């Protein structure tokens, strides 16, 4: 009986350890890493969570219609800079890989700068290179 319990515990530990690795996915399925988009917009919301955080920006198109940009970022540990670096209402420039979903305004691998070009965030304005 003791060996069955130990085997069950060991199996559960392995599954808990392997599940996050199996669940991780490539950004290439949802974003076009061969393209790059740039824009300028107001920070409206920041959701810091695992496995991915989100930064929401709002701008207007040529016709005056509002556009909400959804920027997919890393998890909680990589987002400590966002609280002070991207206050709500701040106007920023963003550049990154666009979403493949037609009509959407999603970006991944984003870099942020102030309107004067001063880098914001841990990559200091350097382009993200997926592994």
């Amino acid at each position: 009986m003791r060996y069955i319990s130990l085997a069950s515990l060991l199996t559960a530990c392995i599954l808990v350890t392997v599940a996050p690795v199996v669940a991780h996915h490539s950004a290439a399925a949802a974003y076009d890493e061969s393209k790059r988009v740039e824009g300028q917009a107001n920070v409206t919301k920041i959701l810091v969570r695992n496995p991915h955080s989100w930064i929401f920006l709002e701008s207007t198109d040529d016709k005056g219609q509002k556009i909400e940009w959804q920027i997919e970022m890393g998890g909680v540990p990589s987002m400590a800079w966002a609280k002070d670096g991207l206050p709500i209402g701040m106007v920023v420039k963003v550049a990154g890989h666009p979403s493949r979903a037609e009509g959407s305004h999603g970006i991944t691998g984003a870099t942020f700068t102030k309107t004067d070009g001063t880098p914001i965030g841990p990559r200091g304005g350097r382009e993200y290179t997926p592994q």
Side-chain angles (χ1 to χ4, degrees):
M1 187 67 155
R2 188 177 206 191
Y3 291 114
I4 293 172
S5 295
L6 183 59
S8 297
L9 179 62
L10 183 59
T11 301
C13 289
I14 290 171
L15 289 175
V16 168
T17 304
V18 173
V21 174
V22 173
H24 196 266
H25 56 278
S26 169
Y31 299 95
D32 188 343
E33 294 178 354
S34 70
K35 295 181 182 174
R36 195 132 169 94
V37 294
E38 296 180 0
Q40 182 170 305
N42 292 308
V43 177
T44 59
K45 182 171 39 172
I46 299 174
L47 298 175
V48 178
R49 54 181 57 160
N50 284 321
H52 298 277
S53 295
W54 294 87
I55 298 173
F56 295 89
L57 307 175
E58 187 176 277
S59 65
T60 54
D61 65 13
D62 298 338
K63 299 174 187 173
Q65 300 291 321
K66 288 185 179 182
I67 298 172
E68 181 184 63
W69 294 87
Q70 304 95 29
I71 318 300
E72 185 174 0
M73 303 294 289
V76 172
S78 67
M79 293 297 293
W81 64 274
K83 180 181 175 186
D84 296 322
L86 293 173
I88 303 301
M90 180 181 190
V91 178
V92 297
K93 291 182 179 182
V94 62
H97 304 292
S99 171
R100 292 184 185 274
E102 196 166 325
S104 71
H105 294 92
I107 295 177
T108 194
T111 56
F112 295 89
T113 61
K114 294 180 181 179
T115 55
D116 67 3
T118 304
I120 305 170
R123 291 195 295 267
R126 294 184 313 274
E127 181 176 348
Y128 170 72
T129 306
Q131 300 176 7

